[in-house]
Amino acid sequence: MKTVEREEIFKSSIEYKTPNGILIAIGGAESKGATDEHAEIANHNYVKFEILQRFVDELKVKNPLVVVIPTASESPEAVGQDYVRVFRKLKVKNVKVLNIASREDSCQEEYLALIQKATGVMFTGGDQLRLTSIFGGTEIMRLIKYRYYKDKLVIAGTSAGAAAMSTQMIFQGKSEGFIKGSVSITAGLELLNDVAIDTHFIARGRIVRMVQMIATNPTFIGIGLEEDTGVVVKKGNQLEVIGSGLVTIVDGRESTYTNIYEIDEGAPVTMRDLRVHLLGKGDTYTLEIF
């Protein structure tokens, strides 16, 4: 890219407040059409390919370029090719995999050129700390954010790829998470403002670790995504639930008390007067974060 273009991208966070792009955050295990998928067996709301089809539908151009980023995965080549196969089943023929394994990789001009042309970007699952450590502050991440705000770029992330979208990111911790110090938090890629996302939320019993994260700063709204479930986010704060499961919204802004600043590590965290919403397919929610 030219120097002028790079300067414009660097300034974009100041110039753009409401994104023109769309985010799709997925709780993991989204349907890829397999006959033994758990949701198909257990849930009447299951629709084969529903979430990935919605991603494709939101691209809204002929012959879209979809860029798959499997950086979070321990098996990036296999995971990347898996998504190539699925998207081709969904009639998207132009799919490229960016196997970025280091911060040095992220600087390659060919990768920047693909992001510049992309209609959609898909972050796969894996380890969200690996994803943020490699992408955070890089030129390619600034370009993704720039295009998300300025253009109609569609960005999807599943499991780790969804968790990394938020401002505050839980990157490890026991599922029960009620003991102070048992949850590790860092900054995410900050595609959503004042939001924290956790995935596999009901299947792995993660509401209490979300509450501990919110207790540290009740400004943040927690979004818990169940498997084969996601949210489509437009204008940066308009959520629509898709998929077969539930989305849990945890709002601590009107909470009256937490003991997290009074107790030592190893003691249970308490919090009072949380607001919790359970949302299903087709439900909408406005994040009051601006």
Side-chain angles (χ1 to χ4, degrees):
M1 290 183 294
K2 297 178 181 178
T3 302
V4 174
E5 292 174 337
R6 287 189 162 114
E7 288 177 356
E8 186 179 358
I9 291 166
F10 186 75
K11 295 175 182 177
S12 64
S13 60
I14 298 172
E15 296 175 357
Y16 300 97
K17 301 297 183 183
T18 302
N20 289 311
I22 296 171
L23 292 181
I24 302 179
I26 308 161
E30 71 278 7
S31 170
K32 298 183 182 69
T35 56
D36 59 346
E37 289 172 336
H38 69 90
E40 180 179 16
I41 299 169
N43 193 322
H44 290 185
N45 276 353
Y46 168 85
V47 176
K48 189 178 290 188
F49 294 122
E50 178 185 353
I51 293 174
L52 295 178
Q53 182 65 63
R54 179 60 181 270
F55 171 74
V56 171
D57 291 345
E58 292 292 348
L59 299 176
K60 297 186 185 303
V61 299
K62 292 183 179 179
N63 193 30
L65 169 60
V66 170
V67 172
V68 177
I69 300 177
T71 299
S73 174
E74 292 182 355
S75 306
E77 292 184 6
V79 169
Q81 290 307 309
D82 190 25
Y83 278 96
V84 170
R85 286 191 292 272
V86 173
F87 284 129
R88 286 179 177 166
K89 286 182 182 178
L90 298 175
K91 311 301 182 184
V92 179
K93 298 179 181 179
N94 193 8
V95 185
K96 302 293 184 182
V97 178
L98 269 58
N99 190 3
I100 296 173
S102 67
R103 292 179 67 83
E104 185 178 11
D105 283 349
S106 73
C107 301
Q108 293 187 35
E109 291 291 338
E110 62 181 297
Y111 293 162
L112 293 168
L114 283 170
I115 295 297
Q116 189 79 287
K117 298 174 183 176
T119 315
V121 173
M122 177 78 196
F123 288 100
T124 74
D127 179 354
Q128 56 264 43
L129 188 60
R130 176 177 171 82
L131 185 56
T132 57
S133 297
I134 290 175
F135 272 78
T138 60
E139 189 167 357
I140 197 167
M141 194 62 224
R142 291 201 299 273
L143 177 58
I144 290 170
K145 285 184 179 180
Y146 173 79
R147 294 212 53 228
Y148 169 59
Y149 276 89
K150 185 179 179 183
D151 302 329
K152 294 186 177 180
L153 183 67
V154 182
I155 304 174
T158 185
S159 190
M165 289 180 174
S166 55
T167 315
Q168 288 272 72
M169 185 183 78
I170 298 171
F171 66 91
Q172 65 183 19
K174 297 179 179 178
S175 292
E176 58 270 22
F178 68 93
I179 299 297
K180 183 177 178 179
S182 64
V183 177
S184 299
I185 303 165
T186 190
L189 297 175
E190 300 180 331
L191 290 165
L192 277 174
N193 296 323
D194 292 343
V195 165
I197 296 174
D198 208 352
T199 57
H200 307 277
F201 199 69
I202 295 173
R204 300 184 187 178
R206 287 178 164 174
I207 189 167
V208 183
R209 79 177 199 174
M210 176 68 83
V211 170
Q212 182 170 166
M213 191 286 302
I214 291 172
T216 66
N217 189 337
T219 299
F220 297 100
I221 295 173
I223 301 177
L225 303 172
E226 183 46 15
E227 295 175 354
D228 191 49
T229 309
V231 288
V232 178
V233 186
K234 298 183 179 182
K235 297 182 179 179
N237 72 336
Q238 304 295 314
L239 273 64
E240 177 195 348
V241 179
I242 58 174
S244 61
L246 294 178
V247 172
T248 306
I249 305 291
V250 185
D251 185 349
R253 291 172 298 174
E254 297 179 12
S255 63
T256 56
Y257 173 75
T258 178
N259 69 350
I260 198 163
Y261 55 88
E262 300 173 333
I263 60 176
D264 295 328
E265 287 199 6
V269 175
T270 66
M271 198 170 187
R272 297 180 185 176
D273 298 310
L274 288 163
R275 297 184 68 196
V276 177
H277 309 281
L278 298 178
L279 308 178
K281 183 186 297 190
D283 286 344
T284 59
Y285 185 84
T286 299
L287 295 166
E288 298 175 357
I289 54 179
F290 299 124

